[in-house]
């Protein structure tokens, strides 16, 4: 990287940095789910089938899952300023294509372009906080950025249902276009243009099977949600994903400078963090997707009314996330993660008796508890991983971690969607003994399955050692390698 003094002259303050990163991650994460409740309207306008409409979401998520590890790896070699500018411009171009799309095919193409740009923002934001903020402020910084992601995840259905219903679904993409362009010039001002300290070439051929495997997993699960695992395209994609990931592993151990350094996975905290991030995100997105759908399909609310349930969760997580980051710095990793997973399991279980006759406020309480638990988990896991990674592997390590997180965002709702489809086809009462009546029985079983996954994740996380958070342990690493006082 360039010298400390040079970098400091070309970057903004810590608050200025967060003022750019938070809205950037907010709008890009929001984009992943904002069209969900508007899909029936889009389908009616374009005369598209359910399977065709699925590509509006799948196309974005495919690029998101494939791109995050790639951007993380490249950030070890290319300046944050250039990568962030490229991401915002690509995101803006994709939003424009979506806003003016005359057909479903063009809309899907625009979503793919949008996903290419959006994939960079979460991982680059965490890399920027980790490498530019001083150690004493890193936990709070990660918490603030995580709040943006958490609010974006909760706000996606709310924005899509409310604004989409009032102004039409193209308005969603015009808003995203405007925000991304407004963020471009502040980003150029606060982010450094120095070359990172990483050396050597990037093994892009080795990264391709990793991205391909992630994309095929997501595609296979999405197809299974529509047509079941018996469809050749579903199980064939999953089988091809296994082959691609096996090729990635084989190349990783053969080449001198692999796309993902194998030494990353020798750290037990990091390995556990990847699995916890994947499973926790699957449960969280399951709630954020299926609670609004339940309210619309079973309770008879409009998309806008169903989306209002998500707003309290977004507000509360935004307020709590900085405090959670500081808490992890003080008490370590294990306790906040276990408490967060306990909350996720508890509130998933509380959602499971929910039926069409129940008050929507009950669903809002469930989502609120689920979101608080998730923020406890992810803010702490990201901070712990950042503190464990050596400086030359920060981008690659955080890219893999967040790639696992957002792969969980895609596969979780798809897997739970398969369960909903199967329960609808079989008919009958819910398997869940806590649910009574016929209305919403399939959703009740999904929430029970979410609680079971949360408990499984709790067991996995219990093996994490008691370690400091992103503060003390990370200090020597980041300060020595990146000049952590560059942004004060």
């Amino acid at each position: 990287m360039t010298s400390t003094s040079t970098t400091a002259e070309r970057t903004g303050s810590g608050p200025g940095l967060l003022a750019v990163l938070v809205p950037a991650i907010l709008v890009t994460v929001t984009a992943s789910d904002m069209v969900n409740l508007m899909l029936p309207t889009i389908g009616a306008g374009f005369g598209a089938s359910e399977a065709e409409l699925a590509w509006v979401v799948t196309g974005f998520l495919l690029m998101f899952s494939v791109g995050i590890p790639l951007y993380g790896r490249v950030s070890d070699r290319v300046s944050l300023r250039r990568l962030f500018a490229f991401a915002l411009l690509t995101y803006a171009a994709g939003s424009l294509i979506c806003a003016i799309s005359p057909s479903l095919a063009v809309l899907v193409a625009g979503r793919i372009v949008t996903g290419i740009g959006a994939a960079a923002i979460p991982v680059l934001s965490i890399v920027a906080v980790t490498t530019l903020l001083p150690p004493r402020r890193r936990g709070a910084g990660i918490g603030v950025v995580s709040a943006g992601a958490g609010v974006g995840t909760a706000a996606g259905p709310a924005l899509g249902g409310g604004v989409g219903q009032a102004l039409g679904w193209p308005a969603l993409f015009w808003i995203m276009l405007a925000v991304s362009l407004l963020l471009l010039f502040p980003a150029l001002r606060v982010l450094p243009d120095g070359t990172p300290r990483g050396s050597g070439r990037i093994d892009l051929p080795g990264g391709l099977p990793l991205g391909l495997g992630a994309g095929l997993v997501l595609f296979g699960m999405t197809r299974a949600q529509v047509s079941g695992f018996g469809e050749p395209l579903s199980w064939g994609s999953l089988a091809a994903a296994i082959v691609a990931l096996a090729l990635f592993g084989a190349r990783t151990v053969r080449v001198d400078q692999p796309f993902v350094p194998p030494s990353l996975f020798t750290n037990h905290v990091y390995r556990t963090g990847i699995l916890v991030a994947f499973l926790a995100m699957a449960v969280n997105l399951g709630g954020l997707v299926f609670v609004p759908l339940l309210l619309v399909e079973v309770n008879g609310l409009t998309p806008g009314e169903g989306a209002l349930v998500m707003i309290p969760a977004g507000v509360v997580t935004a307020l709590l996330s900085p405090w959670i980051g500081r808490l992890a710095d003080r008490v370590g990793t294990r306790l906040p993660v276990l408490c967060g997973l306990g909350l996720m399991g508890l509130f998933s279980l509380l959602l499971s008796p929910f039926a069409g006759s129940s008050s929507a406020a009950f669903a809002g309480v469930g989502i609120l508890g689920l979101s608080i638990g998730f923020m406890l988990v992810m803010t702490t896991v990201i901070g712990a991983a950042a503190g464990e990674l050596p400086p030359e592997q920060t981008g690659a390590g955080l890219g893999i971690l967040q790639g696992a997180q957002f792969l969980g965002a895609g596969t979780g709702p798809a897997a739970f969607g398969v369960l909903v489809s199967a329960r609808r086809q079989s008919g009958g009462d819910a398997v869940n003994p806590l649910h009574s009546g016929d209305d919403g029985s399939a959703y009740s079983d999904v929430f029970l399955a979410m609680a079971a996954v949360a408990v499984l994740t709790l067991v996995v996380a219990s093996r994490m050692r008691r370690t400091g958070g992103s503060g003390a342990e990370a200090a020597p690493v980041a300060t020595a390698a990146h000049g952590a006082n560059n942004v004060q």
Side-chain angles (χ1 to χ4, degrees), residues 70 241 423 425:
L70 178 62
R423 292 292 298 116
Q425 291 173 6

Side-chain angles (χ1 to χ4, degrees), residues 50-76:
E50 183 179 352
E52 292 170 333
L53 280 174
W55 279 102
V56 176
V57 177
T58 303
F60 180 93
L61 289 176
L62 280 172
M63 295 301 103
F64 211 73
S65 298
V66 170
I68 285 178
L70 178 62
Y71 281 114
R73 188 72 175 95
V74 172
S75 71
D76 289 329

Side-chain angles (χ1 to χ4, degrees), residues 67-80 83 123-124 196 202 204 259 395-396 399:
I68 285 178
L70 178 62
Y71 281 114
R73 188 72 175 95
V74 172
S75 71
D76 289 329
R77 303 291 186 272
V78 181
S79 75
L80 287 172
L83 285 175
V123 63
L124 295 183
I202 298 175
L204 289 179
F259 183 81

Side-chain angles (χ1 to χ4, degrees), residues 7-25:
T7 306
E9 292 171 1
R10 304 184 66 177
T11 58
S13 64
L17 177 70
L18 295 176
V20 171
L21 299 181
V22 172
I25 198 170

Side-chain angles (χ1 to χ4, degrees), residues 9 357 455:
E9 292 171 1
S357 59
V455 171

Side-chain angles (χ1 to χ4, degrees), residues 218 221 278 281-283 285-286 290 407-417:
L218 182 58
M221 293 300 298
F278 174 83
M281 191 65 165
V283 173
L285 257 291
F290 287 105
L407 187 60
T411 57
F416 294 130

Side-chain angles (χ1 to χ4, degrees), residues 376-401:
L376 271 168
V377 174
M378 284 312 306
T379 300
T380 306
V381 165
I382 291 172
E388 295 282 335
L389 293 169
E392 68 277 6
Q393 296 178 358
T394 298
L398 292 176
I400 295 295
L401 176 66

